[in-house]
Amino acid sequence: MVLGPRMARRTLLAAGLAVTAVGAAAAPAAASVPRRLAAPDIAGTGDWEARDPRGSIDVRGTAPDKIIVHHTATENAQDTSRAHAFALSRSIQDYHMDGNGWIDTGQNFTNSRGGHLTEGRHQSLAALRSGSEHVVGAHAGAQNAVSMGIENEGTYTGAEVPAALWESLVALCAYAVAQYGIAAGAIYGHRDYMATECPGEVLYGRLGELREAVGAATGAAVVHPVTWPLLRPGASGPVVVALQRLLRARGHEVAVDGVFGGATRRAAAGLAVPAEACYAAPVAEAGLFGGTAWARLAPELAAGDGGEAVRAAQVLLTARGAAVAADGRFGSRTVAAVRDFQAARGLAVRGAVDGVTWRHLLGVSGAPAR
């Protein structure tokens, strides 16, 4: 039996698995296997009268390893009808094909404010049902080949997420996790990989809650990721100081004033990963820095190293409570501070600053606030 978003929620509640419940304490993702779930009601491309794609759809014989959540950056429409959801899907496809020049809609699935789910790029629904195939979309750059993309209707930089949209998002993510064996914690926002506001501060701020709801629905353990920070014009603080030190290590003559101002933004712009135009309409997003650009900028550091990159790590260690001077020398005190930090975070205790350690120094946990 195929379930609609509200029916899917009632079924989960009947099984004692409320989709808004807080999941169990974090444990390694491999510690449990998601239980199988009935599919939510998803309208296929034929239902909403999609155009034919202009080229071949890339269907991979492997499952994606993550879900990436987006918002359409369109108006927060009050029309919650199925007809409106179908019109939205046609509008997005038109923009992605005619405006972006893509072969088809970029995302795999679309979720309307009324909670109506539609297939996005052709063949995505069949791939999801198979549990072993994945359609490569155009929504998150290098992650397209390994991620399922979901567009959520609306702009969530300040507006609240409608209950109907939230319930259908939980149902779709839970079904995908169960079908593909994706870790319940492997639900990310577009901004985790590219320099973009997407999926908006409000929806992004609820991703921890979404992971736990999916974990509760599927019976899977939830390990929340630590993700790279997003810097906006005017941002300030130790993370900006670290960015400026890292830019100086790359030869950029920027002042270390702790403010993400014009000179720093210009220096960082060449390293940023511009957002793939996943939106349903043109959106200007200048001056942002975040996503995997941090990984390219931050080098591995070990005992004996020196310079501005070491100072960047020392600034972040100090901000985390370590008693270490930002002298640019990776000596014994810095090694000890790094080891203490790694032990406290449950990381491999190496005393060297690798990519994972940089992410924990710079970023914040995706767990919801208690």
Side-chain angles (χ1 to χ4, degrees):
M1 180 176 66
V2 177
L3 303 177
R6 290 174 181 78
M7 181 62 73
R9 183 173 186 270
R10 287 197 293 271
T11 301
L12 294 175
L13 284 168
L17 298 169
V19 297
T20 55
V22 175
S32 61
V33 177
R35 63 172 62 94
R36 306 296 284 185
L37 296 177
D41 183 7
I42 305 173
T45 51
D47 295 319
W48 56 267
E49 300 179 334
R51 296 159 58 180
D52 291 334
R54 282 202 293 250
S56 298
I57 300 298
D58 186 356
V59 182
R60 302 287 173 91
T62 55
D65 62 18
K66 63 178 67 69
I67 296 168
I68 297 182
V69 175
H70 305 262
H71 69 175
T72 61
T74 53
E75 66 173 328
N76 294 315
Q78 299 305 305
D79 188 343
T80 59
S81 68
R82 187 175 174 89
H84 170 78
F86 286 4
L88 171 71
S89 292
R90 291 192 294 270
S91 175
I92 295 174
Q93 187 188 40
D94 287 344
Y95 182 71
H96 284 181
M97 292 179 72
D98 301 334
N100 294 348
W102 296 345
I103 64 167
D104 196 4
T105 292
Q107 73 280 6
N108 298 106
F109 298 96
T110 309
N111 184 20
S112 79
R113 285 173 60 82
H116 301 288
L117 296 168
T118 57
E119 179 181 25
R121 182 156 291 200
H122 283 76
Q123 302 184 52
S124 293
L125 182 53
L128 174 59
R129 286 173 174 162
S130 78
S132 60
E133 293 183 331
H134 169 57
V135 168
V136 178
H139 61 94
Q143 297 300 313
N144 289 330
V146 294
S147 67
M148 188 183 94
I150 304 172
E151 284 280 4
N152 295 276
E153 181 190 10
T155 300
Y156 297 105
T157 52
E160 292 301 315
V161 179
L165 182 145
W166 178 258
E167 291 178 8
S168 54
L169 178 60
V170 172
L172 177 56
C173 288
Y175 180 64
V177 162
Q179 286 294 100
Y180 286 132
I182 297 171
I187 300 174
Y188 297 89
H190 190 183
R191 70 169 63 174
D192 291 328
Y193 296 96
M194 310 182 99
T196 175
E197 292 281 358
C198 184
E201 193 69 15
V202 175
L203 182 52
Y204 185 79
R206 294 190 67 181
L207 291 187
E209 182 185 348
L210 176 61
R211 296 183 196 105
E212 294 201 354
V214 168
T218 60
V222 180
V223 178
H224 295 281
V226 173
T227 55
W228 302 107
L230 178 70
L231 294 181
R232 303 174 179 84
S236 61
V239 170
V240 179
V241 172
L243 172 64
Q244 291 168 333
R245 293 290 186 190
L246 290 169
L247 289 169
R248 289 173 67 86
R250 288 292 194 94
H252 296 278
E253 293 297 327
V254 296
V256 183
D257 59 6
V259 178
F260 192 51
T264 302
R265 295 202 311 272
R266 287 190 293 273
L271 297 163
V273 182
E276 192 153 37
C278 76
Y279 292 126
V283 175
E285 291 195 298
L288 302 177
F289 185 83
T292 55
W294 284 107
R296 298 205 315 275
L297 182 61
E300 291 206 6
L301 301 171
D305 288 338
E308 293 283 18
V310 174
R311 284 193 174 91
Q314 290 169 330
V315 164
L316 295 169
L317 286 165
T318 299
R320 299 287 187 178
V324 59
D327 58 9
R329 296 193 299 272
F330 206 121
S332 58
R333 181 163 292 186
T334 299
V335 170
V338 171
R339 290 178 66 86
D340 288 345
F341 178 78
Q342 290 169 331
R345 290 299 182 104
L347 307 177
V349 180
R350 298 175 50 210
V353 182
D354 56 10
V356 174
T357 304
W358 274 115
R359 192 170 71 248
H360 279 254
L361 283 169
L362 287 159
V364 295
S365 170
R370 301 300 186 193

